[in-house]
Amino acid sequence: MNIKYLAIAMIAAMATMLGTSSCSSDDDEPVAPVAAQVADSYWGKEVIVVDNEESSNETKTYVIAKATDTSVDMTVPEWGMGMMTIPSFTVKNIPLAKSGNTITGKLASYSGTMTNAKGEEKAFVVSNVTLMFSEKTVVATYSLKYGNMPFLMTTTFSGNRK
């Protein structure tokens, strides 16, 4: 009888071990780096305010490119007309963070130079950059100080992946 009880106890112990083992795969597909999740072209409305007046309200395309696994570069399209055109420029290395399904980016300041329509180098400073990605959309806000212009240009862009 002892052998019978021992066999039953062993079967019960094996069943318990097998029953509590995880059946899910530890080989889940890897999650793409946060920058790769948002890198794309976005098409939508760009509103530019200068000295508290709306200066431009146009449909534009912004390009968000992966710089590193956790940062992106944002290329802003040109705007204006003729000699008053502000050339396209890129804000580099905007750090990203993810919380749930939302990815955000913040950068206090970025400076660089761009070449205008006359071929002149102009300094620019972009400040208070904020990006918010959700699903297939982005909202970007920033302020731009271009060359010797006396006013900041505050921009809000809302777009969808192309």
Side-chain angles (χ1 to χ4, degrees):
M1 285 281 243
N2 287 340
I3 293 179
K4 183 176 175 183
Y5 287 117
L6 182 59
I8 291 173
M10 287 179 57
I11 291 172
M14 285 179 38
T16 301
M17 280 182 29
L18 293 174
T20 59
S21 295
S22 173
C23 293
S24 68
S25 172
D26 287 339
D27 298 331
D28 293 336
E29 291 196 29
V31 175
V34 69
Q37 294 176 41
V38 298
D40 211 335
S41 294
Y42 293 83
W43 183 78
K45 274 290 190 206
E46 176 189 66
V47 177
I48 300 172
V49 176
V50 180
D51 196 26
N52 295 319
E53 290 188 35
E54 190 173 294
S55 177
S56 175
N57 185 339
E58 299 182 29
T59 301
K60 298 282 187 163
T61 299
Y62 277 50
V63 177
I64 307 294
K66 177 182 169 188
T68 67
D69 284 349
T70 59
S71 68
V72 293
D73 295 342
M74 175 177 70
T75 301
V76 176
E78 72 177 29
W79 74 278
M81 295 172 41
M83 297 308 264
M84 296 300 291
T85 300
I86 294 179
S88 175
F89 60 92
T90 301
V91 179
K92 297 185 178 198
N93 294 311
I94 302 167
L96 300 175
K98 185 171 185 175
S99 177
N101 291 332
T102 303
I103 297 172
T104 57
K106 286 190 181 270
L107 185 65
S109 182
Y110 178 83
S111 59
T113 60
M114 58 178 93
T115 305
N116 68 12
K118 294 179 183 177
E120 302 167 329
E121 287 277 317
K122 292 283 186 175
F124 71 93
V125 177
V126 178
S127 58
N128 301 317
V129 178
T130 303
L131 302 174
M132 185 165 46
F133 299 91
S134 182
E135 297 294 319
K136 296 180 186 264
T137 64
V138 65
V139 175
T141 59
Y142 58 91
S143 296
L144 171 66
K145 174 77 169 88
Y146 176 66
N148 294 323
M149 290 184 72
F151 300 108
L152 278 179
M153 293 170 265
T154 303
T155 303
T156 301
F157 173 76
S158 300
N160 296 308
R161 284 183 191 233
K162 280 188 147 186

